Amino acid sequence: MTQPIIELAGITRILKGQEEPRTILDGVDLTVHPGQSVAIVGRSGSGKSTLLSILGLFDRPDQGTYVLDGQDISRLPERKAAKLRSSHFGFVFQRFFLLKHLTAAQNVAMALVNGQGWLPRRQRRARVLEALDQVGIAHLAKNRPTRMSGGEQQRVAIARALVRDPRILLADEPTGALDTETGTAVIEALLSATHRGCSLVLVTHDRDHAARMGRTMSLVDGVLTERVPV
Amino acid sequence: MRRLSGSYRSALIIGVQGIRARKLRTLLSMISLFLGVLAVVTVQAGASIAERALMSDLELRSGYDGTLIIDVMPHEKSPAIVTETVKGSDAVALIATQAIIGEPGVSPINPGAAPFDQGSWGTTDICDDSGNCVPGPPTGEAIEVALTAVTGDLMTYRPLRHVSGAWLDFSTVPSMSPRLVINEEAAKGFQNHQVPAEMRVNGAKANMTPQIVGVVNDGDVQPRAYVRHDELTNWLPAASMSDPNMGMPLQVMTTKGSAVEQVLTAKLRGAGIESYANLTESRKQMEDQLKLMRLVFLSMAGLVLLIGVAGILNVGLATVGERVEEFALRRAVGTPRLLLAGIVLAETMLTGLLTAAAAIGVGVAGLKVVSMVLGSREPLLQGVQFPWDAGVAGIIAGIVAGVLGGFIPALRAAGIPIATVMRA
Ligand SMILES: Nc1ncnc2c1ncn2[C@@H]1O[C@H](COP(=O)(O)OP(=O)(O)O)[C@@H](O)[C@H]1O
Ligand SMILES: [Mg+2]
């Protein structure tokens, strides 16, 4: 078997609020292999987004180890974390987080214009069009997000996540704001990336979407368990 | 190097996109800053123009900076020593005397080479029985001028301003009819009083017929004429020139540390003649005078600028507040914090630069208008150029204001937590 792309062991996240500290994640173990797709389900407030934040190096665990692609990155300076976010991860959120003053193409190019690994304009354009094409909206390259449907906007966001050819796609309820049909198409677009060796970690409330993933994990009160299909 | 240029280009693209997306806000920052930068530009331009005018006035009167003026006391040997030492060098000797130009035997309308508009000087007062006097018409058809005989081209040391005609030509054989270049005050006299051209110089063997070849502005209020020393000495016996009672003051213009200075002072000391050297340091003197004034005005302008900085800061903070999601998103896709801070700073700096450009443009245009409207009345403002240092001051003010106003927003932008903003 290949080397796992992600190995989380004993990840604990404790939030110190105004009241007493709350344990949001409690000793989470998770291993993801290249090309694998994992669904994470759980109640609202169970810590799914927090787990994804830690996976995507937005947030740091209080305890536990994080090995990415064979490298222990549990204690990584922010500068290197930013570099890894650019080179290894793509993100898709429930809200699309598109910049409305930019066109679809410029929104996608944003992931290339980030001060990491410069590409000349021509190559940038080629990559952006390729990414937009992968999600089936190359014809909307010059449109602004304000003139697009929700499904189209989410596709732009997926193209933005894919444009740097990431190793891992992290999607936090990407279909939460979409109708069933559009949502299904978005899941298809995400899954198609896994055919090229990219891993997918999907947080979802939708059973059908979870069922499309290779594995489903369940998060309950900060504890992650493998859900065995029945 | 590659990484750096990538960061730089990314910052440029993001910064320009940011400014274009918020044109109105950028405009607002610019307006708040504009007056401040304009104040700095105006103060600097005003000071520079005044300084330049003062400086050229000082140069006109006392020569370029670095000119050494040696005053030689009257002595029977001093003309000979001076002219001999100066001969063939860059140094110029000046001999001051008096000349009356006009009808022979007539007393000049301005005895003592007085300025002409000092009314009653050269006239006989007409008094009535009760003793009230009014100035009468000028008595003689002659004009008295201060006469400066020069052994070389005075222009090397003093930038006399050309008005009309020619300057003295030192390359020709001395003429028997001395060529004169007169100053504007003297020209005024010749214009107002038609006088026959004959020139009387104290101690001269005979009267000579001068030719006036040109008019210059020498900054002097006294009517004055410049003449080649050798053309005058054709008529002046050496004895009269060296007569201590005639008291013709002798002056030598040279540069500090020149051979002429050393040789001349040595020779004069040897002959027991006193001399005093004076170094022209106009700029230093003037700067001492103007320093305080400039400081006061610049600090006032600085205050206005500070208000502009507060404006930029305010708009900048509001903008960052509005762009929290954008910055979190940019961090999420891997943009380093430092670069984001740099972009915010670059945007305000660019705003500052644009403002500076606008303020400089307005300054240039304003100066042009002022010089067109008031130029005819105020020679100081005639065809005056926008001083480059005012432009530099404006650009520096713009950039500094941009950096000051952008610093705190930049820190804010860099500190935006991704996890908090980007959660579903
Ligand atoms: N920045 C924060 N401040 C306070 N509480 C937070 C913060 N982030 C997360 N939480 C709390 O942590 C818990 C888990 O949140 P989250 O990971 O967003 O859950 P989920 O995505 O599964 O709904 C929730 O109870 C939430 O209120
Ligand atoms: Mg969530």
Side-chain angles (χ1 to χ4, degrees):
Chain A
M1 194 142 187
T2 52
Q3 177 184 270
I5 182 77
I6 287 172
E7 290 175 275
L8 294 186
I11 292 293
T12 298
R13 182 76 176 101
I14 300 165
L15 277 186
K16 295 161 195 77
Q18 291 99 320
E19 306 132 47
E20 55 221 56
R22 282 177 50 212
T23 304
I24 310 294
L25 295 176
D26 193 358
V28 167
D29 301 328
L30 174 64
T31 304
V32 181
H33 287 277
Q36 215 175 36
S37 56
V38 181
I40 294 177
V41 297
R43 276 199 185 126
S44 205
S46 57
K48 304 181 298 293
S49 294
T50 305
L51 176 57
L52 230 54
S53 294
I54 286 170
L55 279 174
L57 299 170
F58 297 175
D59 195 6
R60 301 303 169 84
D62 296 293
Q63 284 166 39
T65 55
Y66 184 171
V67 176
L68 178 73
D69 208 3
Q71 250 197 314
D72 189 342
I73 56 162
S74 310
R75 271 151 203 60
L76 202 65
E78 167 56 26
R79 195 172 51 79
K80 289 190 177 155
K83 203 167 181 174
L84 282 180
R85 286 200 292 273
S86 172
S87 60
H88 278 63
F89 293 97
F91 308 92
V92 183
F93 304 91
Q94 177 173 3
R95 287 195 288 143
F96 317 125
F97 288 112
L98 298 178
L99 300 180
K100 53 184 187 299
H101 62 273
L102 301 182
T103 63
Q106 285 172 322
N107 266 291
V108 173
M110 201 185 96
L112 296 174
V113 181
N114 63 354
Q116 313 271 15
W118 181 250
L119 285 177
R121 181 200 275 273
R122 191 188 305 228
Q123 286 182 40
R124 247 177 16 237
R125 185 175 303 175
R127 289 256 204 132
V128 166
L129 284 178
E130 194 190 314
L132 283 170
D133 195 43
Q134 265 178 57
V135 294
I137 50 163
H139 60 287
L140 297 177
K142 291 216 163 81
N143 287 29
R144 277 172 206 275
T146 41
R147 292 179 46 208
M148 293 181 181
S149 71
E152 286 166 347
Q153 290 188 52
Q154 192 60 301
R155 282 157 191 261
V156 175
I158 295 171
R160 181 179 64 200
L162 292 176
V163 73
R164 267 197 190 266
D165 230 345
R167 308 287 307 274
I168 304 137
L169 263 180
L170 301 173
D172 194 350
E173 301 182 34
T175 60
L178 304 173
D179 60 68
T180 318
E181 205 174 322
T182 322
T184 306
V186 161
I187 295 298
E188 289 306 324
L190 288 171
L191 271 175
S192 73
T194 62
H195 304 327
R196 285 174 290 120
C198 177
S199 307
L200 171 64
V201 179
L202 171 77
V203 169
T204 183
H205 286 300
D206 191 307
R207 277 167 200 282
D208 296 338
H209 294 165
R212 301 291 316 274
M213 302 299 127
R215 294 156 62 198
T216 301
M217 312 283 290
S218 172
L219 193 59
V220 179
D221 292 335
V223 179
L224 189 71
T225 46
E226 187 100 29
R227 184 181 274 187
V228 186
V230 274
Chain B
M1 196 62 216
R2 243 183 108 80
R3 223 184 70 202
L4 201 72
S5 99
S7 297
Y8 175 75
R9 288 178 208 210
S10 299
L12 193 71
I13 292 177
I14 298 170
V16 169
Q17 281 174 350
I19 285 183
R20 280 176 55 185
R22 272 165 292 271
K23 291 192 193 92
L24 187 66
R25 252 173 212 281
T26 307
L27 192 70
L28 281 177
S29 314
M30 284 180 68
I31 290 172
S32 80
L33 190 55
F34 179 79
L35 280 181
V37 178
L38 188 63
V40 170
V41 169
T42 308
V43 168
Q44 188 66 30
S48 284
I49 290 169
E51 207 174 278
R52 215 180 285 171
L54 263 176
M55 189 67 201
S56 84
D57 241 44
L58 281 171
E59 276 176 348
L60 189 62
R61 286 169 215 275
S62 33
Y64 293 115
D65 265 11
T67 300
L68 187 74
I69 301 176
I70 305 171
D71 283 302
V72 183
M73 291 299 103
H75 186 278
E76 55 180 327
K77 283 190 195 144
S78 41
I81 293 177
V82 166
T83 43
E84 228 156 78
T85 316
V86 161
K87 195 174 287 170
S89 76
D90 283 342
V92 174
L94 288 79
I95 296 142
T97 179
Q98 228 85 232
I100 296 167
I101 301 173
E103 255 181 283
V106 166
S107 67
I109 54 171
N110 62 332
F116 295 101
D117 39 15
Q118 284 183 4
S120 59
W121 262 68
T123 61
T124 316
D125 289 358
I126 302 169
C127 301
D128 59 18
D129 297 339
S130 50
N132 295 328
C133 298
V134 287
T139 44
E141 287 303 289
I143 285 167
E144 181 161 357
V145 293
L147 188 64
T148 301
V150 290
T151 61
D153 193 351
L154 181 61
M155 292 277 204
T156 324
Y157 298 100
R158 266 179 73 186
L160 302 181
R161 296 184 194 134
H162 173 260
V163 175
S164 65
W167 175 237
L168 298 176
D169 186 354
F170 293 88
S171 59
T172 57
V173 180
S175 159
M176 283 310 282
S177 127
R179 286 166 295 187
L180 299 183
V181 170
I182 58 177
N183 70 357
E184 282 181 307
E185 184 63 22
K188 201 159 51 170
F190 285 108
Q191 209 159 45
N192 296 342
H193 310 279
Q194 293 296 323
V195 294
E198 192 176 68
M199 182 160 83
R200 279 180 268 153
V201 177
N202 271 351
K205 295 174 283 196
N207 291 353
M208 45 205 122
T209 316
Q211 353 164 16
I212 296 173
V213 294
V215 180
V216 291
N217 175 357
D218 63 355
D220 203 344
V221 291
Q222 208 185 9
R224 178 178 299 279
Y226 296 88
V227 65
R228 264 173 67 167
H229 173 258
D230 47 9
E231 291 184 0
L232 185 67
T233 43
N234 279 336
W235 300 85
L236 282 179
S240 84
M241 283 197 79
S242 53
D243 182 357
N245 297 327
M246 305 266 303
M248 285 187 198
L250 257 172
Q251 217 174 44
V252 174
M253 286 184 141
T254 179
T255 44
K256 185 149 183 66
S258 66
V260 169
E261 180 199 355
Q262 290 161 18
V263 173
L264 186 65
T265 39
K267 279 190 187 170
L268 289 173
R269 201 177 306 127
I273 305 170
E274 279 182 89
S275 68
Y276 306 95
N278 231 319
L279 186 65
T280 305
E281 285 175 314
S282 307
R283 186 167 295 279
K284 199 166 147 254
Q285 274 176 22
M286 185 190 58
E287 266 165 12
D288 289 347
Q289 280 173 24
L290 287 184
K291 204 181 266 164
L292 187 69
M293 198 176 79
R294 187 179 270 221
L295 210 67
V296 168
F297 277 108
L298 269 184
S299 40
M300 266 155 54
L303 210 65
V304 184
L305 192 65
L306 216 59
I307 297 170
V309 170
I312 277 209
L313 181 66
N314 193 19
V315 174
L317 282 177
T319 308
V320 169
E322 219 174 59
R323 295 170 81 182
V324 163
E325 278 194 0
E326 179 191 335
F327 289 134
L329 177 67
R330 290 198 185 277
R331 284 198 60 201
V333 299
T335 316
R337 288 161 182 264
L338 200 65
L339 191 61
L340 282 180
I343 289 161
V344 172
L345 210 56
E347 281 180 21
T348 56
M349 243 170 68
L350 209 59
T351 309
L353 262 180
L354 286 175
T355 310
I360 291 168
V362 166
V364 170
L367 186 63
K368 199 159 253 172
V369 168
V370 165
S371 118
M372 248 156 53
V373 172
L374 298 176
S376 51
R377 253 181 291 161
E378 188 52 69
L380 192 115
L381 293 171
Q382 226 161 36
V384 61
Q385 291 294 311
F386 186 77
W388 64 269
D389 48 354
V392 171
I395 287 169
I396 290 175
I399 292 177
V400 166
V403 170
L404 283 180
F407 191 69
I408 295 172
L411 284 185
R412 284 259 169 105
I416 289 170
I418 319 172
T420 321
V421 181
M422 323 270 308
R423 63 176 44 250

